[in-house]
């Protein structure tokens, strides 16, 4: 049996979570360093997975398969394709920066509002600092394993289980920059956490019905066995059955993604969470939804995917335009980034269901690049908010004169968000639009409005917060500290590197996209060339 590298990659952060949670209450700093150490070890293992993956080899590599629940045909079955490898790398890359950025977010504070915890609860039985970092590592373990799972039931368990630590991270460790009383802050955090949980649980329950239906039809949960049975004709789903099962899976993934009109939990969750947890939500956890659309919706239900494509493209276009328009009118920095992410997820879904190789390659790259660019912008915004104690755009002005490095990194993160050429998101957004134009030119034209609106909300945000006269409240703001620079500078470096040289990612992703295109029996449209007269 080959070395279980995929299991180890997910097991390391899980073990780290347990050990971090067990650190004595008085040793908060030790818990932080332990969590960071395990996140870095996971990054090393993810790099090893990336290095050992052969783009020209089998579709699923580094596979592991063990019997789990024999009576129901459930197996502990893992394997990665190029799309999974890219997203594992993204997750492992971001978690150390999330931990560094949130280094002090769960430390004692004079008040319980908006983060931290009361000093009078800093006793031997109360260990929120340890819990905060343990929950982050547990989310990392579940997300990585979900990208590796090729058993549908195993994936479902992970898809639902990751909601539990995320619920506590949102509701228990909220943003300290919250207007109003402690009671109001706690109520807002609770509302956001419950809304996040309920939306995703409803989606998960509908998916559970579809998972059971798939087992009744196919007789097992193995993604590879079901795909093989469909290819050789031994499994023939009735048209209506396939469509109902597709809808059950897609609904859950659209909630997680999030796709309009199932998006409304995201602005609340990102607004009330700390900036690092907001990054964990939109840059890591939400990618499970769009990844699953490629792996499970298109892989298991190809005909139903093509049947639903026109409606899904309309929903994606609404997400693009609606998210960008609402972002333009936001007064809250974090909610602006949340609505911008809704717009960006619209681009990802559009690329997936354009059913072209350029669109799906662009969508996969978009998942990676959006994760990095949103992390850079949101974390710098979090550093800014923690200094001023306010999320409101109107409370800032002239920051670039007192904290030029902070303002500069904020600008780069914003320019990446609007897909400036030379930065990583440009490549993915360009591919999505090219792939969409090839098959659905009208949809491609509508989607380009998202680019214009992105430039508007990013540049207006920068103008209102960083330029103009220096407001008295920001006059004494310190610039980025070494720990904060250690978070932001590598992210910006990766954005620039992938913006000018995306080949390491495209080489891994493109073969997986070709397999997905084969699943849905689609070929790229050929350009129409008029014969010379």
């Amino acid at each position: 049996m080959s070395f279980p590298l995929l299991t180890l990659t997910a097991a390391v952060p899980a073990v780290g979570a347990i050990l971090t949670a067990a650190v004595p209450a008085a040793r908060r700093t030790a818990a932080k360093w332990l969590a960071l150490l395990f996140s870095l070890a996971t990054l090393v293992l993810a790099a090893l997975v990336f290095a050992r993956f052969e783009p020209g080899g089998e579709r699923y590599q580094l596979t592991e398969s063990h019997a789990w629940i024999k009576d129901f045909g459930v197996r502990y079955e893992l394997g990665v394709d190029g799309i999974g490898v890219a997203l594992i790398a993204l997750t492992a890359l971001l978690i150390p920066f999330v931990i560094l950025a949130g280094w002090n977010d769960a430390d004692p504070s004079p008040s319980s509002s908006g983060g931290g915890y009361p000093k009078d609860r800093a006793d031997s039985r109360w260990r929120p600092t340890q819990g905060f970092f343990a929950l982050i590592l547990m989310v990392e373990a579940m997300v990585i394993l979900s990208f590796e799972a090729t058993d549908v039931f195993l994936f479902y368990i992970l898809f639902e289980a990751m909601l539990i630590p995320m619920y506590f991270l949102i509701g228990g460790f909220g943003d300290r920059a919250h207007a109003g009383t402690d009671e109001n802050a706690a109520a807002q955090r609770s509302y956001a956490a419950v809304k996040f949980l309920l939306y995703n649980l409803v989606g998960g329950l509908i998916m559970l019905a579809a998972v059971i239906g798939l087992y009744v039809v196919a007789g097992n949960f193995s993604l590879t066995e079901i795909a093989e049975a469909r290819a050789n004709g031994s499994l023939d789903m009735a048209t209506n059955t396939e469509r109902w099962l597709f809808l059950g899976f897609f609904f859950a993934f659209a909630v997680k993604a999030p796709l309009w009109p199932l998006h409304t939990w995201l602005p609340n969750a990102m607004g009330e969470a700390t900036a690092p947890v907001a990054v964990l939500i939109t840059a890591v956890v939400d990618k499970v939804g769009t990844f699953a659309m490629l792996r499970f919706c298109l892989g298991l239900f190809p005909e139903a995917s093509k049947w639903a494509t026109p409606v899904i493209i309309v929903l994606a276009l609404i997400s693009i335009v609606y998210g960008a328009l609402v972002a333009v009118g936001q007064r809250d920095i974090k909610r602006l980034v949340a609505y911008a992410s809704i717009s960006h997820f619209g681009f990802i879904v559009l690329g997936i269901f354009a059913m072209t190789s350029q669109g799906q390659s662009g969508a996969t790259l978009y998942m990676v690049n959006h994760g990095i660019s949103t992390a850079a912008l949101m974390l710098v915004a979090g550093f800014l908010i923690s200094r001023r104690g306010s999320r409101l755009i109107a409370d800032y002005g002239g920051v670039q004169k007192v904290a030029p490095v902070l303002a500069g990194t904020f600008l780069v993160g914003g320019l990446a968000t609007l897909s400036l050429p030379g930065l990583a998101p440009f490549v993915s957004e360009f591919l999505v639009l090219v792939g969409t134009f090839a098959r659905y030119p009208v949809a491609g034209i509508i989607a380009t409005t998202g680019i214009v609106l992105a430039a508007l909300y990013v540049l207006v945000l920068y103008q209102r917060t960083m330029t103009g006269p220096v407001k008295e409240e920001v006059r004494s703001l310190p610039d980025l500290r070494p720990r904060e620079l250690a978070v932001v500078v590598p992210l910006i470096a990766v954005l620039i590197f992938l913006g000018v040289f995306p080949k390491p990612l495209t080489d891994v992703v493109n073969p997986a996209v070709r397999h997905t295109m084969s699943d849905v029996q689609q070929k790229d449209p050929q350009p129409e060339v008029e014969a010379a007269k």
Side-chain angles (χ1 to χ4, degrees), residues 104-267:
N104 301 317
D105 284 358
D107 283 350
S109 62
S111 164
S112 63
S113 65
Y117 61 94
K119 286 183 175 179
D120 59 6
R121 297 187 70 176
D123 56 37
S124 61
R125 297 165 296 171
W126 185 248
R127 298 185 289 189
T129 302
Q130 289 83 338
F132 179 73
F133 293 104
L135 289 170
I136 291 174
L137 289 175
M138 190 56 67
V139 171
E140 179 182 25
M142 292 179 181
V143 169
I144 288 176
L145 202 56
S146 70
F147 292 143
E148 299 171 345
T150 55
D151 183 276
V152 177
F153 190 80
L154 174 61
F155 174 83
Y156 172 77
I157 294 296
L158 297 164
F159 187 82
E160 290 292 274
M162 68 180 68
L163 301 179
I164 299 170
M166 287 306 307
Y167 169 81
F168 288 108
L169 284 169
I170 297 168
F173 301 92
D175 189 359
R176 300 186 182 194
H178 197 294
T181 64
D182 291 358
E183 292 76 12
N184 181 55
Q188 290 296 323
R189 289 200 307 273
S190 178
Y191 172 78
V194 170
K195 189 174 184 179
F196 161 82
L197 188 64
L198 289 179
Y199 267 66
N200 284 276
L201 279 178
V202 169
L205 288 174
I206 293 174
M207 180 183 170
L208 177 60
V211 168
I212 295 171
L214 179 66
Y215 177 75
V216 171
V217 172
N220 65 79
F221 294 106
S222 173
L223 179 65
T224 53
E225 291 183 15
I226 294 173
E228 183 179 348
R230 298 212 65 175
N232 62 29
S234 60
L235 174 60
D236 185 20
M237 291 188 194
T239 299
N240 286 337
T241 300
E242 181 177 346
R243 289 177 179 180
W244 279 111
L245 293 178
F246 167 85
L247 290 174
F249 277 77
F250 180 80
F251 182 86
F253 302 152
V255 172
K256 183 87 79 179
L259 184 68
W260 185 94
L262 305 172
H263 67 284
T264 58
W265 62 267
L266 183 66

Side-chain angles (χ1 to χ4, degrees), residues 59-60 81 83 149-150 152 214 218 221-232 235 237 242 245-246 249-250 253 289-306 309 352-353 355 360 512-522:
R59 179 172 187 177
Y60 294 108
D81 60 3
I83 299 169
T150 55
V152 177
L214 179 66
F221 294 106
S222 173
L223 179 65
T224 53
E225 291 183 15
I226 294 173
E228 183 179 348
R230 298 212 65 175
N232 62 29
L235 174 60
M237 291 188 194
E242 181 177 346
L245 293 178
F246 167 85
F249 277 77
F250 180 80
F253 302 152
T290 46
F291 162 80
M293 291 180 188
L294 279 166
R295 173 167 284 189
F296 297 103
C297 286
L298 272 61
L300 294 172
F301 316 111
E303 294 302 320
S305 297
K306 290 186 283 188
T309 288
I352 292 171
F353 285 91
M355 300 292 182
Q360 292 184 357
V513 167
R514 286 194 290 270
H515 283 297
T516 304
M517 291 287 290
S518 176
D519 288 340
V520 293
Q521 299 179 345
Q522 291 278 25

Side-chain angles (χ1 to χ4, degrees), residues 258-260 263 312-330 336 338-348 350 366 429 433 442-457:
L259 184 68
W260 185 94
H263 67 284
I312 295 173
I313 285 180
V314 170
L315 296 178
L317 292 174
I318 294 174
S319 290
I320 292 170
V321 178
Y322 167 82
L325 281 173
V326 177
V328 171
Q330 285 302 301
L336 185 151
Y339 279 106
S341 290
I342 291 169
S343 181
H344 294 149
F345 274 103
F347 276 106
I348 295 171
L350 179 65
Y366 215 130
E429 192 161 280
L433 290 174
V442 175
I445 293 170
I446 296 172
T448 56
T449 60
I451 301 174
V452 179
L453 293 171
L456 181 60
Y457 61 70

Side-chain angles (χ1 to χ4, degrees), residues 392-431:
L392 298 179
I393 297 172
D395 288 342
Y396 296 89
V399 174
Q400 67 180 8
K401 296 177 182 177
V402 297
V405 177
L406 188 154
T409 54
F410 188 83
L411 178 61
V412 175
L415 293 176
T417 298
L418 64 81
S419 300
L420 183 76
L423 296 174
F426 170 77
V427 179
S428 44
E429 192 161 280
F430 178 78
L431 285 173

Side-chain angles (χ1 to χ4, degrees), residues 17-85:
I18 296 170
L19 295 178
T20 300
V23 173
R27 306 193 63 184
R28 293 191 304 273
T29 302
K32 297 174 185 179
W33 282 107
L34 186 63
L36 181 61
L37 178 64
F38 272 92
S39 71
L40 292 173
T42 306
L43 178 58
V44 171
L45 290 171
L48 187 58
V49 170
F50 195 95
R52 290 190 58 183
F53 184 81
E54 298 178 7
E58 296 292 326
R59 179 172 187 177
Y60 294 108
Q61 300 179 31
L62 306 175
T63 55
E64 304 172 32
S65 183
H66 307 279
W68 183 17
I69 309 174
K70 292 184 179 180
D71 292 343
F72 295 98
V74 179
R75 300 185 64 81
Y76 176 79
E77 194 170 84
L78 307 181
V80 287
D81 60 3
I83 299 169
V85 166

